[in-house]
Amino acid sequence: MSLINKPGKRISIWMIIKNELVYKKFGFITGVLSLVIATSGFVGAMILLRGDTLATEQLFMEKERELRAEMLQLEDDYRIIMRNMGYNVLILNETQSISELEKEGYASTYLDYEDVWKIAESGMTTLNHLLPVLQEKIYWPEKGMEILLSGIRGQVPVYSKPAHLTDDDQYRSPIMERVPEGKADLGSEVAVPLNLRPGDIFTIRGEEFEVNRVYSRRGTRDDLSVWIPLDKAQSILNRPGKINGILALECVCSTEELGQVAREVKEVLPHAQVFEFSSLIAARADVRQRAAKLHEEILQAEMAHQMELRREKERLASVLIILLITGASVWIFVLILNNVRERKHEIGILRAIGFSRLKVLQIFLGKSALMGVVAGIIGCMTGALAGVLWSGTGLSFSGQGSLVTPPVIITGLILAPLLALTAGLLPSVLAANQDPADIIGER
Amino acid sequence: MELRINGLKKYYRTGKEKEVKAVDGVSLEIGKGELVSVNGPSGCGKTTLLLISGGLMNPDHGEVFLGEKNLYRISPDVRDRERVTKVGFVFQQFYLVPYINILENVLIPTIGLNSYSASVEQRARDLIDHFNLSDRIDHKPGELSTGERQRVALARALINRPSVLFADEPTGNLDDYNAEVVLKYISEFAADGGAVLLVTHDKRISRQAHRSVRMKDGRFVGDDTNPVK
């Protein structure tokens, strides 16, 4: 039963196109196939390139994550190292002569004990491990020797650094332990000659102390020091409520920030000056910066390498797509041209019985467009499938989902009909312009 | 007059300074119900005359009137429309479209005219029935005999109810029986008021025509009116 015998069906250009396609299957199939290859090549290449971009982005995100984790670890390592290396900042009265400090080993001018709390509560983040100290070289009459008497209390909690503090505001890992009430810590040059050991009792200017711990030899002035609670030192030295220095740990990690601490301290304590052991800080910061720079350079080199690879792939894809499109266009052109030649007499009689040029053009362009539409759909599906299978293996599920983008599919769906129409245009125009008299009269 | 031809000339140049006078000053008139045959040997210009008369080939000189319209004084688009509404063609080679069935072949001129309707389809079926092809209605041309194919071509030529039928050697590929059948249908068309221009080299056909014109070297060289007709 033909279509024409069914109710509502009428003879039309579309019916002629469809029946001719069925009649000449080989031409239609090979035409569609060539367009499918071109379209799927285009869609597949686009998806592969996108997959490559996503994979590169994923790689960089992983590398950046690794780098960030490494840098955090490095920072933590430096924090611990810096803490272990001791205080690197000394806050003094602004009238204190540094040369005199270097000469005597302790400051001769004073700060109020309350000053250390002002810094602790100021919200500064660049200082940590604040240790108020009152130091003075004195003659120890009971033992007949000079010692460096150091009055200390526990480190004052810096509230902007809660991570370092316990629940009761004590340092988890203080640089210097507090000296318990009634006790004293001794340097080796004090304890050894006097044969003092932990638990022994001694007096300094009438104040009695029990040896808490004896430090091993350090080769510094600490060996001549006796550490006692701050209030006792203030009493012995007759400096109630006074300290002559605040030791601290500067936790800035960039040499560019050297001096920033001094400015910040000045804002809190206008009558103070800051003595930074800058070379030490700078060296640490420099090492850290070098490590960060090295990581950055590795990342940049990898990125440049990936970009070069991508450019290479884009060049290859462009050449491939151009070849496929050219091949498909030539094939469609040849197919339609051959079809026009084969159907010369049909065109002649159609023109003779009243088909206008436009209607003949519609027949051939319609055939090209139909091939293009069919090929566009199949090509997009096969190209997308191949592209996803090929490039999606290294990607996450969501990454695979985002490989096929609407613009690529839309372009693929437009590309195939456009290609077919362009390639089929000239043969179709030739068909439309054939003179029916020439064809019929050639007999 | 359904068809009027005045002083037609058509010359071909086949080589350097060599000119073939395919049609050389021919005039002819065909009225309603008239069947005119033009006969002559191959190459005498019969087909060229038919193509020009049917509006398919521009003459070098002369006029062709289809009804009141001078075919070569109107635009090609209007001429196409005049041709499809007023003219039917039958050729020796049938020129049927091979991939559609008989009914669709008969209906195909309606695409050019955008005139398809249920009544037109019924007319196609009637024509097919009239030409004894009803049992072949769903067949493709390749499945038909040559006589059947020519009858399909004739039905196709008549689907738009033309006033003039042009037939170029319509029996050239047919045996005697089928030639008689086809000529009978052509004569019927004339008897129903149609005008027929039939070109042939077969002198037997001339006997079926009201008027028979002999042609040689592009010119009419004899004109017989058949008193029987």
Side-chain angles (χ1 to χ4, degrees), chain B residues 183-198:
Chain B
L183 281 172
K184 187 189 88 174
Y185 290 134
I186 291 173
S187 299
E188 273 181 17
F189 172 74
D192 289 344
V196 179
L197 176 62
L198 190 155

Side-chain angles (χ1 to χ4, degrees), chain B residues 1 4 33 38 43 79 96 118 128 138 155 178 193 205 209 213-214:
Chain B
M1 282 298 133
R4 185 153 53 90
V38 177
R79 187 157 63 239
L96 299 178
I128 288 168
D138 282 330
N178 279 304
I205 295 174
V213 181
R214 288 194 304 282

Side-chain angles (χ1 to χ4, degrees), chain B residues 44-155:
Chain B
C44 71
K46 304 189 295 293
T47 298
T48 302
L49 172 65
L50 182 133
L51 294 174
I52 294 170
S53 306
L56 290 171
M57 182 186 284
N58 281 293
D60 294 336
H61 184 267
E63 295 169 317
V64 176
F65 287 89
L66 196 60
E68 298 302 316
K69 291 241 171 77
N70 185 341
L71 281 186
Y72 297 102
R73 287 270 188 270
I74 55 180
S75 70
D77 288 342
V78 177
R79 187 157 63 239
D80 285 347
R81 191 160 183 82
E82 284 295 304
R83 193 165 61 238
V84 74
T85 52
K86 293 182 178 170
V87 170
F89 285 100
V90 180
F91 300 98
Q92 183 178 355
Q93 280 81 11
F94 326 126
Y95 295 132
L96 299 178
V97 179
Y99 48 83
I100 54 178
N101 66 26
I102 301 317
L103 179 63
E104 290 158 351
N105 261 287
V106 173
L107 280 168
I108 209 164
T110 64
I111 297 177
L113 207 55
N114 292 323
S115 62
Y116 175 86
S117 66
S119 62
V120 170
E121 185 177 328
Q122 188 53 51
R123 174 169 165 72
R125 290 177 181 280
D126 291 344
L127 281 168
I128 288 168
D129 187 47
H130 182 69
F131 292 140
N132 281 323
L133 292 165
S134 293
D135 56 338
R136 301 291 211 177
I137 197 162
D138 282 330
H139 287 225
K140 300 275 171 58
E143 297 163 346
L144 305 182
S145 69
T146 51
E148 288 170 330
R149 286 181 212 175
Q150 192 59 297
R151 278 182 273 155
V152 174
L154 191 56

Side-chain angles (χ1 to χ4, degrees), chain A residues 311-380:
Chain A
R311 275 193 290 274
E312 190 61 32
K313 286 174 187 170
E314 280 176 349
R315 276 195 290 272
L316 277 172
S318 303
V319 171
L320 180 72
I321 290 168
I322 288 169
L323 281 175
L324 289 174
I325 286 175
T326 307
S329 301
V330 169
W331 182 240
I332 296 295
F333 176 81
V334 170
L335 272 180
I336 300 291
L337 190 64
N338 193 45
N339 193 240
V340 168
R341 289 172 61 188
E342 283 176 350
R343 298 169 71 184
K344 188 170 70 171
H345 291 105
E346 180 191 329
I347 295 164
I349 194 63
L350 291 177
R351 292 278 291 121
I353 63 176
F355 272 57
S356 62
R357 284 187 174 84
L358 182 63
K359 280 200 161 52
V360 174
L361 199 62
Q362 281 174 358
I363 290 174
F364 287 93
L365 285 182
K367 179 177 178 174
S368 299
L370 185 64
M371 279 199 286
V373 170
V374 173
I377 294 166
I378 299 172
C380 281

Side-chain angles (χ1 to χ4, degrees), chain A residues 31 37 46 50 60 75 100 102 109 113 128 133 177 189 196 219 225 232 238 255 286 290-291 327 341 363 378 387:
Chain A
I37 292 168
M46 290 295 107
R50 178 160 173 75
F60 278 113
E75 205 158 298
E100 194 183 330
E102 287 293 305
T109 57
Y113 172 68
N128 200 0
V133 62
E177 297 282 351
E189 289 300 311
L196 288 172
S225 294
K232 292 290 181 191
N238 199 24
T255 50
D286 190 44
R290 279 169 190 256
R341 289 172 61 188
I363 290 174
I378 299 172

